[in-house]
Amino acid sequence: MILTRRTVLGGAAAAGLCKVSPVTAKADPARSLHQRLICLDTHLDTPASLARPGWDIMRRHVRDADFTQVDYPRMVEGGLDGGFFAIYTPQGPLTPEGMLAARDAAFLRAMEIREMAAAHPMAFELALVAEDAARIAASGKRIVYQSIENSYPLGEDVSLLRVFYRLGVRMVGFIHFKNNQFGDSATDKPQWHGLSPKGRELAALGNDLGMVLDASHASDDVFDQMMETSRAPIILSHSGCRAVHDHPRNIDDARIKKLAAAGGTIQINSYNSYLIDVPPDPERDKVRGALMQRLRNPGDQTPAQRAATMRDVAAGMKALEKRYPEPRATFETYMQHVTHALDLVGPEHVGVGCDWDGGGGVVGMEDVAAIPKITEQLVKLGYTQSQLAGFWGGNALRVLQAAHEARKTPA
Ligand SMILES: [Zn+2]
């Protein structure tokens, strides 16, 4: 199946929200091809921006000023047709109170994603099944699938996953930076040695509902056990290659091959410290955490006060970079992970999950407007239009379709 945009005309174009200037597109065949393909990113942390007071997804923002990487104008410019918008919840205490607070936060985040689509019906549309992507792209709108990153908010009640399914969620990532009630994290000490009994229940219900199981952030043991138990192919929605950079958040070649052999796909992450060696610096992390906290919790502020806070934080970040310089991965490093996976398992099992607005971005590809560079590089390497159509969306949609076909019970 070759996924290209049949037309960019539609409601959005009529409202003056059309895609990138055709002059630019015509000037460069690879860029023009990029704009024709349906491009999806399987891990967008952009919903975190939606809760920021005064932040408007329809306006163009500048990464250095407000630290965001995705908005509607930049999606259009970068030819990103959509992707999986993540309902991300940070890992908190495994107590009844902690789980309830997380549950509420996750539902609010899901509501914010739906409100984004409802508030801008000419620009965004919620997608539920694989076939929705081509139809929505053809209408000139952005495709909004939803995913869960960290199932901690489900608490002890796995059946809550059904409610998220009803809200439109079609991909479920079990774990984040720390172990939780469902299994072990790639970045924590082994506790369950894979999935917990509840994690196995979650995998089974995810399969029954027709949701894609996502092993990014999970330990190798969780990956192996998900692979063993899942009736459908699974996904790594935002991961890198351990052979290129040895980090527990990345995955080794043997497992990438197993994933591909079962029909799955690895979507390559652009998160700095997973791509290259970044020596830990607790002081830097502390200062950065405090600055980001000011952004996330601005309290009751007038728009002018918010703008001043934003300027303060931006200046603080600049000072931080000077005082605690951090090695930064480049676009070339990112492409090393991409091409390694492509060489290993072929273009039917690799895609893009850049972790935009969640710590992704590299020197030379700082926000979503820059992603046509990936297509340019792959065209230079000889990848064909149909291979690139798979890489940019077809592979993830194939996995979504397979999960849907393997479902058992209506939600
Ligand atoms: Zn993540």
Tab-separated table of all heavy atoms in Angstrom, residues 43 45 149 176-177 217 238 249 269 274 355 358, ligand 1:
chain	number	residue	atom	x	y	z
A	43	HIS	N	5.336	9.081	18.334
A	43	HIS	CA	5.377	9.543	19.735
A	43	HIS	C	5.486	11.057	19.823
A	43	HIS	O	6.581	11.623	19.825
A	43	HIS	CB	6.509	8.886	20.525
A	43	HIS	CG	6.356	9.147	21.989
A	43	HIS	ND1	5.421	8.484	22.769
A	43	HIS	CD2	6.947	10.046	22.813
A	43	HIS	CE1	5.470	8.951	23.999
A	43	HIS	NE2	6.379	9.909	24.060
A	45	ASP	N	4.773	14.170	22.245
A	45	ASP	CA	4.437	14.611	23.608
A	45	ASP	C	3.787	15.992	23.594
A	45	ASP	O	3.671	16.642	24.644
A	45	ASP	CB	5.688	14.614	24.490
A	45	ASP	CG	5.934	13.251	25.116
A	45	ASP	OD1	4.978	12.665	25.652
A	45	ASP	OD2	7.072	12.759	25.063
A	149	GLU	N	1.394	6.737	27.286
A	149	GLU	CA	2.789	6.512	27.671
A	149	GLU	C	2.825	6.422	29.186
A	149	GLU	O	2.633	7.427	29.880
A	149	GLU	CB	3.712	7.652	27.200
A	149	GLU	CG	5.161	7.379	27.610
A	149	GLU	CD	6.148	8.419	27.123
A	149	GLU	OE1	5.807	9.616	27.109
A	149	GLU	OE2	7.285	8.026	26.759
A	176	HIS	N	7.368	3.753	32.185
A	176	HIS	CA	8.198	4.913	31.834
A	176	HIS	C	9.575	4.753	32.487
A	176	HIS	O	10.130	3.668	32.446
A	176	HIS	CB	7.470	6.223	32.189
A	176	HIS	CG	8.062	7.415	31.521
A	176	HIS	ND1	8.629	8.448	32.206
A	176	HIS	CD2	8.214	7.710	30.214
A	176	HIS	CE1	9.107	9.343	31.345
A	176	HIS	NE2	8.859	8.916	30.123
A	177	PHE	N	10.114	5.823	33.067
A	177	PHE	CA	11.493	5.777	33.571
A	177	PHE	C	11.696	4.791	34.729
A	177	PHE	O	12.797	4.355	34.983
A	177	PHE	CB	11.932	7.164	34.079
A	177	PHE	CG	12.167	8.186	32.994
A	177	PHE	CD1	12.003	9.543	33.262
A	177	PHE	CD2	12.578	7.810	31.732
A	177	PHE	CE1	12.239	10.500	32.286
A	177	PHE	CE2	12.818	8.761	30.742
A	177	PHE	CZ	12.642	10.100	31.019
A	217	HIS	N	10.582	2.135	26.453
A	217	HIS	CA	10.778	2.385	27.892
A	217	HIS	C	10.764	1.106	28.729
A	217	HIS	O	11.144	1.128	29.899
A	217	HIS	CB	9.738	3.349	28.499
A	217	HIS	CG	9.987	4.787	28.198
A	217	HIS	ND1	11.032	5.486	28.748
A	217	HIS	CD2	9.325	5.653	27.398
A	217	HIS	CE1	10.999	6.747	28.301
A	217	HIS	NE2	9.972	6.861	27.464
A	238	HIS	N	9.135	4.819	20.211
A	238	HIS	CA	10.242	5.793	20.188
A	238	HIS	C	11.450	5.177	20.891
A	238	HIS	O	11.607	5.285	22.084
A	238	HIS	CB	9.826	7.145	20.780
A	238	HIS	CG	9.340	7.127	22.202
A	238	HIS	ND1	8.312	6.338	22.649
A	238	HIS	CD2	9.753	7.840	23.296
A	238	HIS	CE1	8.119	6.560	23.945
A	238	HIS	NE2	8.978	7.448	24.361
A	249	ARG	N	17.829	2.277	27.078
A	249	ARG	CA	16.590	2.691	26.415
A	249	ARG	C	16.581	2.307	24.931
A	249	ARG	O	15.544	2.390	24.271
A	249	ARG	CB	16.401	4.214	26.553
A	249	ARG	CG	15.379	4.663	27.536
A	249	ARG	CD	13.963	4.159	27.237
A	249	ARG	NE	13.166	5.115	26.470
A	249	ARG	CZ	12.698	4.896	25.260
A	249	ARG	NH1	12.948	3.767	24.628
A	249	ARG	NH2	11.964	5.804	24.674
A	269	ASN	N	13.879	7.222	17.744
A	269	ASN	CA	13.787	8.340	18.684
A	269	ASN	C	14.915	9.347	18.433
A	269	ASN	O	15.993	8.969	17.984
A	269	ASN	CB	13.930	7.762	20.100
A	269	ASN	CG	13.433	8.688	21.175
A	269	ASN	OD1	13.155	9.853	20.923
A	269	ASN	ND2	13.309	8.177	22.377
A	274	TYR	N	19.900	9.347	24.545
A	274	TYR	CA	19.835	7.955	24.077
A	274	TYR	C	20.627	7.787	22.787
A	274	TYR	O	20.888	6.675	22.356
A	274	TYR	CB	18.391	7.509	23.819
A	274	TYR	CG	17.430	7.670	24.971
A	274	TYR	CD1	16.064	7.778	24.745
A	274	TYR	CD2	17.883	7.678	26.292
A	274	TYR	CE1	15.171	7.913	25.788
A	274	TYR	CE2	16.989	7.830	27.345
A	274	TYR	CZ	15.627	7.943	27.089
A	274	TYR	OH	14.740	8.074	28.123
A	355	ASP	N	9.890	11.789	19.671
A	355	ASP	CA	9.787	12.291	21.042
A	355	ASP	C	9.725	13.825	21.063
A	355	ASP	O	10.232	14.465	21.987
A	355	ASP	CB	10.980	11.799	21.887
A	355	ASP	CG	10.571	11.428	23.300
A	355	ASP	OD1	9.471	11.824	23.724
A	355	ASP	OD2	11.368	10.765	23.989
A	358	GLY	N	9.005	16.068	24.122
A	358	GLY	CA	9.263	15.194	25.267
A	358	GLY	C	10.755	14.988	25.461
A	358	GLY	O	11.171	14.042	26.111
B	1	ZN	ZN	9.202	8.502	26.273
